[in-house]
Amino acid sequence: MSDASTAAIAALKERAGVVNALIDGDQTVLVRHPTLDPGTIDDRFVLYPAYTHQEPDRYQPRYEDYYHRASAKPEDGVPIRAVAEVREEYTVPSDDLEALARHYVYTPDGLRDKHDPDDDLRVLLLRVSALESPRLIEERGSYRGCRAWIELTDAVDVDLESTTPVLDEPTFAERRAAVRDALE
């Protein structure tokens, strides 16, 4: 699927600060409400940064800079810088968020505020890779709104195969084991 002009590309919308943390390797999991991402995610997808509804109080103090770096949408387009794939998936009660706190930039209460704390949450362990040729794309009307998944049009030229993992294999294996241990 290296020729993006032949097919639409699946993109997961996530807050821009979180996308930056994933690309920097400071975050390895996404915590989502189960109704936002139904089913199993089998293919690689683009990380699409969203600049609305960002809340600085949701970030752990040591990661507040992610909010400040991404608090305003760039005027020249939306930066598409990385692809991801789900390596493991868990359904956890919101009480288990503290055990995972070192794997994401929000506070556990920030995640509870974002999601309904009475429901189980979906935790996705992501393998993120940076694009060798990042792109700035136009934000189309069809990309807007409160939706987790969008399809980037065939006019978006993103090479999903020319990527470099943001974490080397030993580091990713260590993080994967730590997530598993935290949820046992």
Side-chain angles (χ1 to χ4, degrees):
M1 191 164 156
S2 63
D3 184 6
S5 63
T6 60
I9 299 172
L12 178 66
K13 288 175 63 174
E14 182 54 72
R15 303 293 179 258
V18 171
V19 169
N20 289 340
L22 287 164
I23 292 169
D24 289 351
D26 285 332
Q27 179 162 327
T28 50
V29 300
L30 275 183
V31 178
R32 310 287 291 195
H33 195 278
T35 60
L36 291 177
D37 305 308
T40 302
I41 304 163
D42 294 324
D43 297 320
R44 296 175 84 193
F45 50 88
V46 170
L47 294 173
Y48 184 98
Y51 294 88
T52 58
H53 306 297
Q54 298 214 91
E55 301 287 337
D57 295 343
R58 288 186 179 157
Y59 287 83
Q60 295 179 42
R62 67 181 178 196
Y63 295 124
E64 285 176 357
D65 188 52
Y66 282 113
Y67 167 78
H68 297 294
R69 286 181 21 210
S71 60
K73 185 176 81 169
E75 293 182 21
D76 49 353
V78 177
I80 303 299
R81 301 172 38 218
V83 299
E85 57 188 310
V86 176
R87 290 292 177 93
E88 293 182 10
E89 182 176 330
Y90 306 92
T91 301
V92 301
S94 66
D95 292 344
D96 288 354
L97 292 177
E98 278 81 0
L100 291 170
R102 79 177 194 119
H103 301 285
Y104 53 79
V105 296
Y106 282 171
T107 66
D109 285 339
L111 284 169
R112 285 188 195 94
D113 180 49
K114 184 179 176 191
H115 303 293
D116 184 350
D118 295 330
D119 290 340
D120 285 344
L121 297 171
R122 190 171 183 200
V123 175
L124 306 173
L125 175 70
L126 297 184
R127 184 71 162 132
V128 177
S129 296
L131 292 168
E132 289 178 14
S133 298
R135 298 282 187 255
L136 282 175
I137 65 169
E138 174 187 348
E139 182 183 37
R140 297 176 180 225
S142 62
Y143 301 164
R144 294 187 183 118
C146 294
R147 296 174 296 149
W149 290 99
I150 58 175
E151 292 288 324
L152 302 182
T153 67
D154 55 7
V156 175
D157 180 22
V158 175
D159 185 352
L160 296 179
E161 302 306 318
S162 295
T163 62
T164 303
V166 298
L167 298 175
D168 61 27
E169 281 299 326
T171 303
F172 183 75
E174 176 186 302
R175 300 264 182 97
R176 173 185 260 171
V179 168
R180 287 177 179 165
D181 289 347
L183 294 175
E184 288 183 347

